[in-house]
Amino acid sequence: MGEVVSNSCFEVFDKAEEPERCKCKGIVLNAYNNLRADGLSEYQAIKTVVPVLQYHHPSPFLEARNVVECWVFEQSQSAAH
Amino acid sequence: MTELEQRCIDAGLKMTGPRKTILKVLNNSNHLSVEEVYEKAKAIDSTISIATVYRTLSMLDELDLVTRQEFNETFSRYDTNLDHHHHLIDLDTGKVIEFQNEELEKLKEKIAEELGFELVDHTLELYGRRIKKKKK
């Protein structure tokens, strides 16, 4: 059997112990959804909420952005199904 | 009728069906490229051509009803120039508060002028935590 590759956001974001159990995910997605409702594009909304995640879990911008993009994608997939 | 449509009429633009569709697309999204506007408009009205989209956006740009932004890409993106406001994001809840402040707008223009520039565009996001009142 080949190696199983995990694509979870937890693997990507190693600055926090359990980021997905932390309240920050809800806060970040809440801000993202509010900005999208205000008319911001996905690109602009993600860029704007990255500092929110960085506030809760200090990390480089690119790393934090990857996690936010992952959460946004997961949310869209959950909504689709 | 939307505010953008009214301003187009005030500016002397004839509100044809395709133009109304394009304005509707612009009202519902930000930072769209010409191609994105075309795709969304075509989904509403299949008769719209990309040439119509180009012409309409150019007209709106000339009338200062939209802003053309050059992101770090090879094409432009367009935003409507209505209801300019900024966001204050609550770091503890994710709540987003929209605000407008005339003094802030004047200050930004003054800063640009002092540096020898005419302010063309800006973005500003505030991030904060609610001030907790101390219990007496």
Side-chain angles (χ1 to χ4, degrees):
Chain A
M1 183 182 274
E3 186 182 338
V4 174
V5 177
S6 172
N7 292 321
S8 75
C9 296
F10 179 71
E11 301 284 339
V12 172
F13 193 64
D14 59 3
K15 297 293 182 191
E17 288 184 11
E18 290 185 321
E20 296 204 308
R21 287 191 189 178
C22 176
K23 61 180 181 178
C24 65
K25 185 178 181 181
I27 293 169
V28 167
L29 286 176
N30 191 28
Y32 170 83
N33 292 331
N34 285 331
L35 290 168
R36 290 284 280 150
D38 190 39
L40 264 66
S41 67
E42 182 179 295
Y43 166 82
Q44 193 67 25
I46 287 175
K47 187 181 161 192
T48 302
V49 303
V50 167
V52 178
L53 180 57
Q54 287 177 298
Y55 169 79
H56 291 281
H57 299 289
S59 57
F61 181 86
L62 284 179
E63 207 173 306
R65 191 183 71 183
N66 282 344
V67 174
V68 173
E69 286 174 345
C70 193
W71 285 344
V72 167
F73 176 74
E74 283 179 354
Q75 180 182 250
S76 68
Q77 293 298 296
S78 298
H81 300 295
Chain B
M1 183 181 293
T2 66
E3 187 183 344
L4 187 56
E5 279 182 23
Q6 186 59 55
R7 289 180 65 174
C8 286
I9 291 169
D10 292 343
L13 274 182
K14 194 175 171 186
M15 280 288 101
T16 61
R19 282 181 187 167
K20 281 187 184 177
T21 302
I22 291 166
L23 291 182
K24 185 179 175 183
V25 168
L26 289 172
N27 258 331
N28 290 336
S29 300
N30 280 359
H31 306 311
L32 295 176
S33 67
V34 175
E35 287 71 25
E36 285 167 342
V37 173
Y38 170 61
E39 289 300 325
K40 288 177 184 288
K42 200 175 163 191
I44 301 169
D45 179 358
S46 59
T47 65
I48 287 178
S49 70
I50 195 161
T52 299
V53 174
Y54 269 110
R55 277 197 299 272
T56 303
L57 288 174
S58 290
M59 269 193 293
L60 293 175
D61 189 17
E62 276 178 37
L63 291 170
D64 207 28
L65 292 173
V66 296
T67 297
R68 191 172 73 172
Q69 297 185 20
E70 307 288 342
F71 286 81
N72 190 20
E73 297 157 320
T74 57
F75 50 88
S76 306
R77 290 186 183 271
Y78 291 84
D79 283 309
T80 56
N81 283 339
L82 302 175
D83 194 25
H84 173 72
H85 61 268
H86 295 293
H87 299 114
L88 168 63
I89 298 160
D90 187 326
L91 288 166
D92 291 324
T93 64
K95 187 178 173 185
V96 175
I97 300 158
E98 295 169 20
F99 69 92
Q100 294 169 303
N101 188 296
E102 205 177 314
E103 278 182 51
L104 180 62
E105 300 307 315
K106 285 179 184 170
L107 180 59
K108 283 184 272 188
E109 284 184 20
K110 187 183 170 203
I111 291 169
E113 199 181 322
E114 284 175 2
L115 292 170
F117 282 83
E118 177 194 355
L119 194 64
V120 172
D121 194 15
H122 61 274
T123 57
L124 175 71
E125 317 294 346
L126 301 184
Y127 302 86
R129 303 183 69 183
R130 282 206 176 270
I131 298 169
K132 291 176 184 174
K133 290 179 185 175
K134 290 180 183 176
K135 290 181 183 176
K136 290 181 182 178

